[in-house]
């Protein structure tokens, strides 16, 4: 009985020692099982970095060509007036040349007409003074002599008409002579006014049409800008700028041609109106001299008859 109990106690002790050994080996074996996944968790970053660099190395070619293409599109253009003119379309160039010629014509007319109006006013004022100081038509003719200008023409025309009507003055009144003299003087006035106004109509034409001609160049330049956008398939400033620049230059040249033309035309209109007034004063002075000569022609025979 005691032997069997000893044997049972020995078996129980062996089983207990085997269970403790198993329990001690399981934690030691579990630690490697947990640490094993930790090693691959650190390894992927080392393998991912080359993977990220490998795809990055291939797009380097587009990345390098992209900026160069953008630089080519945004290269600065020569936007000076001459550069814009040279880069403009042939139609816009023709518009600009026409507007530049119109501006040249405007300033040429201004210079020539200013000298003409100044000289004309100076001559007609002298004629008005001579006519006003004269007592008879012959005195006025002698004062003016062979000088040119409308004032001298007025006096000579009155003298010619008086000489042509001298034979009829003994039988008729002088009203017919006055009408004929007035008619000739009015024609001389009209001719002098037309001659002085010559060239101002061109200024009016330039002033009224130059803005629209410039607007035509503007529209054409904007059309070229849109055509450039459609061809390049981009709205980059380098594509749009040339067309817009030539359009704005055409507009500016239209204004440069139109504004001086309008201002100069208005100045000349006032100056010519003043010239016509002085010319009318000279014509009125000649008519007074003719009327005075007729009156003294009637008074002189009556005085002679009374003295007899």
């Amino acid at each position: 009985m005691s032997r069997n109990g000893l044997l049972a106690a020995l078996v129980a002790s062996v089983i207990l020692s085997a269970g403790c050994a198993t329990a001690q080996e399981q934690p030691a074996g579990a630690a490697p099982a947990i640490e094993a996944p930790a090693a691959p968790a650190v390894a992927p970053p080392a393998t991912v970095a080359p993977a990220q660099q490998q795809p990055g190395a291939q797009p380097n070619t587009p990345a390098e060509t992209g900026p160069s293409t953008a630089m080519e599109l945004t290269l600065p253009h020569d936007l000076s007036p001459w550069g814009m003119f040279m880069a403009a379309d042939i139609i816009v160039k023709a518009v600009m040349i026409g507007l530049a010629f119109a501006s040249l014509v405007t300033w040429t007319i201004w210079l020539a007409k200013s000298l003409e109006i100044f000289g004309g006013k100076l001559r007609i004022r002298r004629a008005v003074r001579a006519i006003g100081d004269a007592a008879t038509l012959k005195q006025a003719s002698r004062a003016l002599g062979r000088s040119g200008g409308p004032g001298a023409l007025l006096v000579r025309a009155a003298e010619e008409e008086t000489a042509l009507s001298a034979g009829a003055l003994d039988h008729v009144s002088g009203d017919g002579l006055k009408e004929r003299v007035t008619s000739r003087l009015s024609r001389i006035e009209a001719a002098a006014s037309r001659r002085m106004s010559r060239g101002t109509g061109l200024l009016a034409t330039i002033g009224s049409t130059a803005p629209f001609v410039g607007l035509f160049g503007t529209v054409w330049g904007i059309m070229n800008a849109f055509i450039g956008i459609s061809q390049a398939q981009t709205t980059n400033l380098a594509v749009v700028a040339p067309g817009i620049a030539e359009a704005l230059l055409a507009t500016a040249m239209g204004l440069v041609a139109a504004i001086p033309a309008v201002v100069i035309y208005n100045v000349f209109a006032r100056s010519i109106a003043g010239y016509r007034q002085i010319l009318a004063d000279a014509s009125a002075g000649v008519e007074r001299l003719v009327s005075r000569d007729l009156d003294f022609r009637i008074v002189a025979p009556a005085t002679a008859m009374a003295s007899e």
Side-chain angles (χ1 to χ4, degrees):
M1 188 71 178
S2 59
R3 186 181 295 176
N4 291 334
L6 182 61
L7 183 59
L10 180 62
V11 171
S13 63
V14 171
I15 291 171
L16 289 175
S17 63
C20 291
T22 303
Q24 289 177 0
E25 288 177 359
Q26 282 181 353
I34 294 172
E35 292 174 1
V42 177
T47 57
V48 169
Q52 289 178 351
Q53 291 175 357
Q54 283 291 26
Q58 293 178 354
N60 277 344
T61 303
E64 291 174 357
T65 57
S68 63
T69 305
M71 288 176 63
E72 292 177 359
L73 290 176
T74 57
L75 288 174
H77 292 267
D78 183 11
L79 295 181
S80 64
W82 179 252
M84 287 188 286
F85 172 77
M86 295 304 296
D89 186 77
I90 184 64
I91 301 298
V92 183
K93 281 184 179 179
V95 169
M96 293 180 186
I97 292 172
L99 291 173
F101 180 74
S103 180
L104 179 63
V105 170
T106 297
W107 290 108
T108 303
I109 293 175
W110 169 77
L111 180 60
K113 190 59 64 176
S114 297
L115 296 175
E116 183 181 358
I117 292 175
F118 177 76
K121 283 186 175 181
L122 188 62
R123 287 192 297 268
I124 196 63
R125 285 195 181 103
R126 289 176 180 172
V128 168
R129 286 195 297 269
I131 293 170
D133 295 337
T136 62
L137 193 61
K138 289 183 178 180
Q139 290 180 1
S141 178
R142 285 194 299 268
L144 291 174
R146 292 295 179 180
S147 63
L153 290 177
L154 293 173
V155 173
R156 283 197 287 269
E159 280 187 323
E160 291 175 2
E161 191 61 38
T162 302
L164 293 173
S165 304
L169 292 176
D170 296 335
H171 307 284
V172 296
S173 63
D175 293 337
L177 175 61
K178 291 179 181 179
E179 291 178 0
R180 290 188 293 274
V181 169
T182 301
S183 176
R184 293 189 64 171
L185 297 183
S186 64
R187 292 301 86 203
I188 293 174
E189 285 184 53
S193 298
R194 286 195 302 269
R195 185 167 55 251
M196 191 60 67
S197 301
R198 189 171 48 200
T200 57
L202 187 58
L203 291 177
T205 302
I206 293 173
S208 60
T209 59
F212 297 101
V213 175
L215 182 62
F216 172 74
T218 303
V219 173
W220 197 272
I222 293 175
M223 288 172 55
N224 289 336
F226 281 111
I227 292 172
I229 291 173
S230 64
Q231 291 177 349
Q233 294 296 316
T234 179
T235 58
N236 192 284
L237 184 61
V239 177
V240 180
I244 299 298
E246 68 185 33
L248 295 178
L249 183 60
T251 304
M253 293 191 67
L255 295 177
V256 167
I259 293 174
V262 173
V263 173
I264 293 171
Y265 175 79
N266 291 331
V267 172
F268 283 163
R270 290 192 296 269
S271 298
I272 293 172
Y275 174 79
R276 288 174 180 170
Q277 291 297 325
I278 301 172
L279 193 61
D281 293 340
S283 178
V286 172
E287 290 177 359
R288 287 194 298 271
L289 292 178
V290 171
S291 178
R292 186 180 297 125
D293 289 345
L294 289 175
D295 291 343
F296 278 102
R297 183 186 181 91
I298 297 172
V299 169
T303 305
M305 289 176 62
S307 63
E308 290 177 357

